[in-house]
Amino acid sequence: MEPMNRIGFMISVLAAACCQHAFAQRDILFSQGWEFGRGAAEPIIWTPVDLPHDFSMMPAYSDSALCVGPFSTTSEGKNHTGYTKGGTGWYRKHFAISPSNADKSVIIDFDGAYMETTVWINGSKAIEHKYGYTPFCIDATPYLNAPGEDNLIMVRVDNIGANSRWYSGSGIYRNVRMHLVPKARLAQWGVSVTTPNMRKDDAQVNIDISLINETGQELDANLDIKILDNKGALVTFLKKPTRLQPGTSPQTMTLRVHQPSLWSVDTPTLYSAMVTVETAEGKDTYIQPFGFRKIEYSAEKGFLINGTPTLLRGGCLHHDNGFLGAAAIKAAEVRRVKLMKENGYNAIRCSHNPPSREFLEACDSLGMLVIDEFVDMWHHYKNPNDYAQYFKDYWRGDLESMLLRDRNHPSIVMWSIGNEIPASSTDEISETAQEMREFIHQYDTTRPITQGVPSFLALGGWAKSAPYFSNLDICGYNYLADKYVPDHEQYPDRIMYASESYPRDAYKHWRAVEDHPWVIGDFVWTAMDYIGEVAVGHSQYVDELNQRPGLQDRDGLPEGTQPEHLFDLMNSMAPDKWPLYQSGCGDIDIIGHKKSQGLYRDVLWGNSPIEMVVHEPVPEGKIEEVTGWGWPRELKSWNWEGSEGRPLQVHVFSSAPRIRLLLNGEQIDERPCGEAMITAFDVTYQPGELKAQAIDAEGAIVGETVLTTHSRPTKIQLNPDQATVTADRNDLVFIDISLLDDKGNLTVANDELCHISIDGEGELVASGNADILGMADVNQPSVHTYRGRAQAIVRPFAKKGQISVKVSSPGLPTSTLTIPVMSVE
């Protein structure tokens, strides 16, 4: 690293200390100016990088295997991780602490690194961390050189062997922060805000504070608490003198707020508790956002937020950001939550690990409910090198860091202690669940505890799972809609929800949610496509006589399978699927567009009165096989060149009593709404316009949708998700690249190779399309469109100016987009 960069960081730390309020000293972003190298030994060659960074999305390398971009046939995770590579990555950064901060403690806060992380500071080992999804902090003070002198932090991150059932990513994939704090201070994550006894006119605010005194002597201290509203205005305050003993000491303070604005999905109003402790050692201020909201739940009334019954329109989400991999860049995390909100979801199950700080902050500010999930495995591994090898010794510390970091987020409405834990009917697992429940209650008693439990993991019989369920306040049922009613009859106080469900079972699950108060929601697997778990949502054509039974079911494992061998067996049953790399099971594709199953869900949830899709022509003598998580090959398209005169299957999604179909202005059919809000038609294809109308009981048209045959593309359209960006490496622009015909129609039937070029104050950091076979287009400067679309992701440099994006394709005019890069306020 150049000396100027080292000096620059020292100046930035000094500026943060001198020019900003105390909270900024707690959150100095420590993510820029790193260097990276790959390999088991400490690298010789280092490359500049800014965090968050996922080295599994860097080009793969092998002397003997086929490699395509970041994908390789020698991938240890194979299908599970989308054929990406792990290995060992090294990071280093030079920094200096200003002499003006010589009396401060220096805390370095990692929000997440996958998987096993070792940190050295100036050659001394500071920490080892085993779990790839929980935050960890280092008190760097004892390892630092004298103020003003150069320091070197070195981080080794190992992602070795098969250790994940989905794409995990590798490296320091979340942000790192530095905190410069006095010796007498508030502990990291040491402020807990709860709002019990909420009434219409006022609410109680309890603030539990953990204070640290490292001076070795008693100190007089003043505690000052201010409650600020969402505009920063003072609402109420409280001052209290106290005496700090050496070590750690707790404090509890209570305030009341008159007529608070409540946090909810529709009005996500946030407040802040500004907590300051001042001693002779200095002043430390901690600003903790929170919301006024109340959770209630029962089998009689269902799930209530602030007294209002709330049906959970949920989706499971893995943590990757598409072609960025696991890199939790703030703009990408915010975009994912926005996409969920815009597509009608009000709840996310974080599958199967705690998300980033930025993701939860986005859920707080946008109004998204969250199930915060701890881990995917306990005592029994699901892959030979996964966290199960460390679970017994490390789960308490990892769960504690999750709870401490996340407990103030109003968006979080449940703690999930795990997912599909093998041997759920055994005493060992029930005892562990009880122990985890008691552990969580040491930190938070305001939220229910849950877990996703599928029937085939309760080996020994579903009836024997009752002791395990007794440790859960709300019970997650994975793919078990048929058990809602019989289990309610046997356990009338049990509250249930679909913690995972098949997309094609959406009607069955949602009817249960609407009809039964004890069934509080449905979380589809999954809301968005993701890298890894390759082609779990997929269909293929096979000879009609060779259709394989049971392809849509998860069950069917041999009787007597032992829990420690369960996932070995499941892994051995999985065929090699190269060169596919995506899951394919999302309501939304990997670049953010709604798929056919998402259109169906729009109708189920009442977000659209009518939608229409057309099944592609099925080859003669073939039949379509669809996986349990899949959806038939239906498209929102009326472009089927070569199928003129051939009948095509049209599905109209609507709850209207009758559905009318018109082709090129002529009515060709009208019939009653079909089962599960799906009405099927056979329509002889001819180009033009296909229109579906929803007809109410009085014969009035209450909604319509149109599919139009497009011509060949004549232009490239660039649609950025935001018009400007800030000169901040945590900002991004996601650009939709669309091919349009002369009438502005998306040309879903014509795909082209597009070349992307970037000039100015930014860089192309990711690109690709939604094709699960499209690995050759991932993170390349030239990408093919898929069904008329591709995506480019641009990251600004930390410099004001503008970014010019040009996209060209043979035979089409070049399209140009200019994005202003604004100063960081």
Side-chain angles (χ1 to χ4, degrees):
M1 180 179 291
E2 294 298 321
M4 182 59 69
N5 289 343
R6 305 180 195 178
I7 295 170
F9 184 76
M10 185 184 78
I11 292 172
S12 71
V13 172
L14 176 62
C18 297
C19 302
Q20 299 186 28
H21 54 69
F23 179 63
Q25 294 185 51
R26 282 195 159 270
D27 271 322
I28 304 166
L29 204 60
F30 199 61
S31 294
Q32 290 190 33
W34 290 76
E35 295 174 297
F36 173 77
R38 196 169 185 175
E42 184 178 334
I44 299 174
I45 299 174
W46 295 86
T47 302
V49 297
D50 291 329
L51 309 180
H53 178 255
D54 176 3
F55 69 77
S56 282
M57 292 308 289
M58 298 176 72
Y61 57 92
S62 175
D63 293 331
S64 58
L66 175 60
C67 296
V68 179
F71 310 103
S72 172
T73 53
T74 61
S75 165
E76 298 86 347
K78 300 292 184 184
N79 296 341
H80 295 306
T81 58
Y83 295 97
T84 56
K85 297 280 287 183
T88 297
W90 295 79
Y91 297 83
R92 71 180 186 183
K93 178 180 174 72
H94 292 271
F95 66 101
I97 302 299
S98 167
S100 64
N101 287 314
D103 60 341
K104 298 291 196 300
S105 291
V106 178
I107 311 298
I108 300 178
D109 176 1
F110 289 78
D111 198 41
Y114 197 89
M115 173 181 163
E116 300 175 39
T117 305
T118 307
V119 181
W120 295 267
I121 300 175
N122 293 326
S124 296
K125 183 185 291 186
I127 197 171
E128 289 184 349
H129 188 74
K130 300 298 185 183
Y131 187 33
Y133 296 111
T134 47
F136 58 95
C137 293
I138 302 166
D139 185 349
T141 315
Y143 307 102
L144 297 179
N145 294 324
E149 294 184 4
D150 180 61
N151 297 285
L152 177 65
I153 182 170
M154 182 92 73
V155 182
R156 171 178 168 148
V157 186
D158 292 310
N159 180 1
I160 304 300
N163 58 55
S164 179
R165 296 192 301 120
W166 58 87
Y167 179 80
S168 62
S170 303
I172 309 176
Y173 68 98
R174 294 180 182 169
N175 272 308
V176 181
R177 293 173 171 84
M178 175 183 283
H179 312 291
L180 301 174
V181 289
K183 302 297 181 185
R185 62 182 184 272
L186 294 143
Q188 179 67 6
W189 311 315
V191 175
S192 172
V193 184
T194 54
T195 57
N197 304 321
M198 285 175 50
R199 298 194 295 263
K200 183 177 181 180
D201 295 330
D202 74 341
Q204 178 179 321
V205 181
N206 287 350
I207 301 182
D208 293 310
I209 303 164
S210 179
L211 296 165
I212 294 176
N213 177 6
E214 294 180 335
T215 66
Q217 58 186 351
E218 291 187 31
L219 293 175
D220 289 323
N222 288 310
L223 281 173
D224 183 355
I225 297 180
K226 295 181 175 71
I227 303 298
L228 310 176
D229 67 15
N230 61 342
K231 296 180 181 179
L234 180 65
V235 176
T236 188
F237 69 94
L238 180 65
K239 295 179 181 288
K240 176 184 176 182
T242 190
R243 187 82 173 158
L244 294 187
Q245 302 296 322
T248 303
S249 57
Q251 296 278 342
T252 299
M253 303 176 77
T254 300
L255 303 88
R256 299 205 74 85
V257 171
H258 182 61
Q259 293 184 334
S261 298
L262 303 185
W263 186 97
S264 69
V265 169
D266 297 324
T267 57
T269 304
L270 292 171
Y271 287 74
S272 295
M274 179 184 286
V275 182
T276 300
V277 57
E278 186 171 8
T279 71
E281 294 292 314
K283 181 189 291 186
D284 184 26
T285 296
Y286 198 112
I287 297 179
Q288 180 58 64
F290 70 97
F292 289 94
R293 67 106 181 86
K294 183 179 181 180
I295 300 170
E296 298 173 279
Y297 47 93
S298 69
E300 295 75 27
K301 295 183 178 180
F303 191 81
L304 296 88
I305 300 287
N306 303 326
T308 301
T310 302
L311 307 182
L312 301 183
R313 302 191 304 273
C316 297
L317 275 186
H318 277 315
H319 72 298
D320 72 88
N321 279 303
F323 312 126
L324 293 168
I329 299 170
K330 181 178 179 178
E333 299 289 79
V334 172
R335 175 179 177 268
R336 266 197 305 153
V337 180
K338 282 184 177 179
L339 281 172
M340 293 288 285
K341 191 86 174 179
E342 291 165 359
N343 282 279
Y345 296 88
N346 66 8
I348 294 170
R349 180 186 176 210
C350 296
S351 308
H352 302 290
N353 49 265
S356 71
R357 164 180 163 172
E358 285 79 7
F359 185 88
L360 292 174
E361 288 174 347
C363 291
D364 289 343
S365 63
L366 295 172
M368 181 65 67
L369 305 178
V370 174
I371 299 176
D372 197 354
E373 192 151 273
F374 175 43
V375 75
D376 187 47
M377 70 292 294
W378 293 358
H379 303 288
H380 305 295
Y381 70 79
K382 298 181 179 180
N383 278 284
N385 302 103
D386 66 23
Y387 181 67
Q389 62 188 314
Y390 303 118
F391 176 81
K392 181 179 178 181
D393 295 327
Y394 287 90
W395 74 260
R396 291 170 185 83
D398 286 321
L399 183 55
E400 179 186 48
S401 63
M402 169 182 137
L403 295 168
L404 290 175
R405 188 198 66 169
D406 296 351
R407 60 186 170 177
N408 293 300
H409 289 283
S411 57
I412 297 174
V413 294
M414 294 186 226
W415 300 118
S416 174
I417 57 177
N419 171 68
E420 297 182 344
I421 302 302
S424 297
S425 60
T426 64
D427 291 342
E428 177 191 39
I429 297 301
S430 293
E431 289 166 4
T432 300
Q434 182 178 357
E435 190 175 359
M436 295 176 83
R437 176 186 179 86
E438 293 169 354
F439 186 87
I440 290 172
H441 284 166
Q442 296 177 36
Y443 299 88
D444 180 33
T445 58
T446 68
R447 296 175 178 88
I449 295 171
T450 187
Q451 186 195 319
V453 181
S455 60
F456 74 78
L457 291 181
L459 296 175
W462 182 251
K464 294 182 180 181
S465 64
Y468 183 82
F469 275 121
S470 68
N471 293 300
L472 306 179
D473 300 303
I474 298 178
C475 302
Y477 279 41
N478 284 12
Y479 314 101
L480 292 166
D482 294 338
K483 291 194 176 291
Y484 293 150
V485 172
D487 277 16
H488 176 69
E489 293 172 353
Q490 190 170 2
Y491 308 103
D493 294 328
R494 183 179 290 180
I495 308 164
M496 315 169 196
Y497 68 101
S499 38
E500 294 180 23
S501 64
Y502 294 126
R504 283 182 295 149
D505 287 345
Y507 180 82
K508 177 167 58 175
H509 283 281
W510 195 245
R511 281 300 302 268
V513 173
E514 292 183 319
D515 293 346
H516 306 310
W518 68 87
V519 183
I520 65 171
D522 174 27
F523 289 75
V524 65
W525 193 272
T526 57
M528 288 187 69
D529 280 344
Y530 53 93
I531 301 172
E533 291 191 291
V534 170
V536 294
H538 189 49
S539 72
Q540 61 183 343
Y541 296 117
V542 298
D543 291 338
E544 193 163 358
L545 297 178
N546 294 333
Q547 186 181 22
R548 293 172 291 172
L551 190 63
Q552 299 173 15
D553 300 327
R554 293 193 75 180
D555 302 302
L557 292 168
E559 192 71 28
T561 301
Q562 295 303 306
E564 61 268 29
H565 302 310
L566 178 65
F567 280 88
D568 284 336
L569 178 61
M570 292 175 68
N571 291 341
S572 70
M573 293 165 60
D576 184 29
K577 299 177 183 177
W578 174 276
L580 287 76
Y581 77 101
Q582 292 181 35
S583 63
C585 56
D587 282 6
I588 305 165
D589 68 28
I590 202 166
I591 66 174
H593 294 282
K594 201 186 306 283
K595 294 158 61 179
S596 295
Q597 65 201 58
L599 298 173
Y600 179 51
R601 199 173 305 278
D602 275 348
V603 171
L604 284 183
W605 286 348
N607 297 328
S608 173
I610 187 169
E611 297 290 346
M612 176 168 54
V613 294
V614 181
H615 199 291
E616 70 180 25
V618 179
E620 198 71 33
K622 300 289 186 179
I623 192 167
E624 186 179 24
E625 258 186 1
V626 185
T627 65
W629 296 272
W631 193 268
R633 296 189 179 189
E634 298 175 336
L635 299 176
K636 194 172 182 177
S637 172
W638 194 239
N639 268 77
W640 305 104
E641 185 178 354
S643 294
E644 289 79 3
R646 180 178 176 180
L648 298 180
Q649 186 180 73
V650 176
H651 277 164
V652 178
F653 309 141
S654 180
S655 61
R658 298 189 66 80
I659 305 299
R660 180 181 299 154
L661 216 57
L662 299 92
L663 180 60
N664 295 328
E666 298 290 330
Q667 180 174 331
I668 57 173
D669 205 343
E670 181 175 324
R671 61 184 60 179
C673 179
E675 185 179 357
M677 301 185 187
I678 301 176
T679 307
F681 298 86
D682 286 328
V683 179
T684 300
Y685 177 67
Q686 57 177 286
E689 179 185 272
L690 182 67
K691 179 184 291 187
Q693 296 176 331
I695 312 298
D696 69 11
E698 284 72 42
I701 299 171
V702 293
E704 64 180 27
T705 184
V706 177
L707 301 178
T708 303
T709 305
H710 63 71
S711 55
R712 293 197 60 80
T714 59
K715 65 177 291 189
I716 302 169
Q717 181 170 283
L718 305 181
N719 293 315
D721 69 330
Q722 53 181 349
T724 65
V725 290
T726 55
D728 181 349
R729 297 292 278 167
N730 262 290
D731 207 353
L732 295 165
V733 181
F734 288 79
I735 302 170
D736 268 346
I737 301 169
S738 302
L739 302 182
L740 306 182
D741 69 7
D742 55 358
K743 295 181 179 179
N745 298 309
L746 181 71
T747 61
V748 297
N750 300 97
D751 289 313
E752 306 291 345
L753 181 65
C754 295
H755 180 73
I756 306 163
S757 62
I758 309 291
D759 290 312
E761 301 304 325
E763 61 180 333
L764 180 69
V765 292
S767 59
N769 60 45
D771 187 0
I772 67 173
L773 280 163
M775 62 167 57
D777 291 297
V778 173
N779 298 345
Q780 302 296 325
S782 294
V783 298
H784 291 87
T785 59
Y786 177 68
R787 294 176 179 167
R789 290 190 174 108
Q791 183 185 74
I793 306 175
V794 177
R795 191 177 191 183
F797 300 131
K799 184 178 178 182
K800 183 180 177 181
Q802 67 179 29
I803 302 169
S804 176
V805 182
K806 293 184 179 181
V807 179
S808 59
S809 184
L812 295 175
T814 297
S815 186
T816 301
L817 174 69
T818 300
I819 305 165
V821 182
M822 316 301 289
S823 298
V824 179
E825 294 182 1

